[in-house]
């Protein structure tokens, strides 16, 4: 019986010490919470004062800088152009491409009502033109001069 009372007394002392530590920790956390709440109020007031111009520096990606368009005004809004499809001619070679299986996964393919056309225009090999120019003077003779050279030499 004596042992039970002593055991209970030790447990009560341990629990009282834990309660005292918890109360101290609770007071510290309550004080810290009050400080953080006050700081939060200050920061929200600062945000309201700055309005929409404010952008926090940390943890936000930077906005991309708009670079000035260096093209002339008449070309700035140009949407681009595409080359028209070539006309059908007798020289056109048409390749019908039909696949048995998907080239990516190997799965079965089914026919559709639309088809994609791609045009390849072969540019012919350039034919070089050879031009021979013959000069009628030689290094021992004087080259023909223009009127401006004559005037400069005469002066």
């Amino acid at each position: 019986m004596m042992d039970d009372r002593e055991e209970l007394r030790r447990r009560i002392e341990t629990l009282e010490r834990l309660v005292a530590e918890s109360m101290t920790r609770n007071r510290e956390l309550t004080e810290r919470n009050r400080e953080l709440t006050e700081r939060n109020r200050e920061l929200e007031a600062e945000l309201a004062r700055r309005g929409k111009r404010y952008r926090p520096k940390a943890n936000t990606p930077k906005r991309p800088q708009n670079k000035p368009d260096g093209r002339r005004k008449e070309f700035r809004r140009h949407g681009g152009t595409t080359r028209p499809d070539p006309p059908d001619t007798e020289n056109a070679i048409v390749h019908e491409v039909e696949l048995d299986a998907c080239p990516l996964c190997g799965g079965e393919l089914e026919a559709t009502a639309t088809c994609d056309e791609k045009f390849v225009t072969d540019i012919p090999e350039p034919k070089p033109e050879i031009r021979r120019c013959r000069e009628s003077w030689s290094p021992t003779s004087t080259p023909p001069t223009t009127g401006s050279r004559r005037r400069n030499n005469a002066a």
Side-chain angles (χ1 to χ4, degrees):
M1 184 146 264
M2 188 66 148
D3 289 335
D4 289 341
R5 284 186 182 176
E6 192 64 37
E7 177 78 23
L8 285 174
R9 194 171 296 158
R10 271 190 254 132
R11 280 191 72 188
I12 291 172
E13 287 174 2
T14 304
L15 291 174
E16 286 176 346
R17 186 171 19 97
L18 287 174
V19 167
E21 289 173 2
S22 297
M23 289 177 68
T24 305
R25 180 74 176 141
N26 189 17
R27 277 192 296 271
E28 291 171 358
L29 290 175
T30 303
E31 178 63 24
R32 178 75 175 143
N33 187 17
R34 189 189 60 73
E35 291 171 2
L36 291 175
T37 303
E38 181 62 30
R39 177 71 177 144
N40 191 18
R41 248 187 243 119
E42 291 171 6
L43 291 174
E44 285 178 353
E46 179 68 17
L47 277 175
R49 184 184 67 81
R50 290 186 182 188
K52 290 185 177 183
R53 296 178 311 197
Y54 180 69
R55 184 170 178 85
K57 300 291 183 204
N59 299 328
T60 55
K62 291 186 176 181
R63 290 181 182 168
Q65 296 294 323
N66 293 335
K67 294 182 180 177
D69 196 345
R71 297 177 291 178
R72 293 194 321 246
K73 281 189 179 180
E74 62 265 20
F75 295 110
R76 287 185 186 165
R77 299 287 182 234
H78 191 272
T81 60
T82 57
R83 189 168 154 184
D85 293 342
D88 290 333
T89 63
E90 295 176 9
N91 298 345
I93 301 170
V94 179
H95 297 280
E96 294 289 335
V97 179
E98 293 182 16
L99 299 174
D100 297 331
C102 174
L104 300 175
C105 67
E108 190 175 318
L109 298 174
E110 61 182 55
T112 61
T114 62
C115 68
D116 294 330
E117 287 188 329
K118 296 180 183 176
F119 296 97
V120 177
T121 304
D122 290 331
I123 299 174
E125 190 75 29
K127 296 177 183 174
E129 281 186 21
I130 300 173
R131 295 182 183 164
R132 181 177 291 170
C133 298
R134 295 183 181 207
E135 301 278 336
S136 61
W137 58 276
S138 66
T140 56
S141 66
T142 58
T145 59
T146 60
S148 63
R149 284 188 179 173
R150 277 189 212 137
R151 272 186 250 126
N152 289 339
N153 289 338

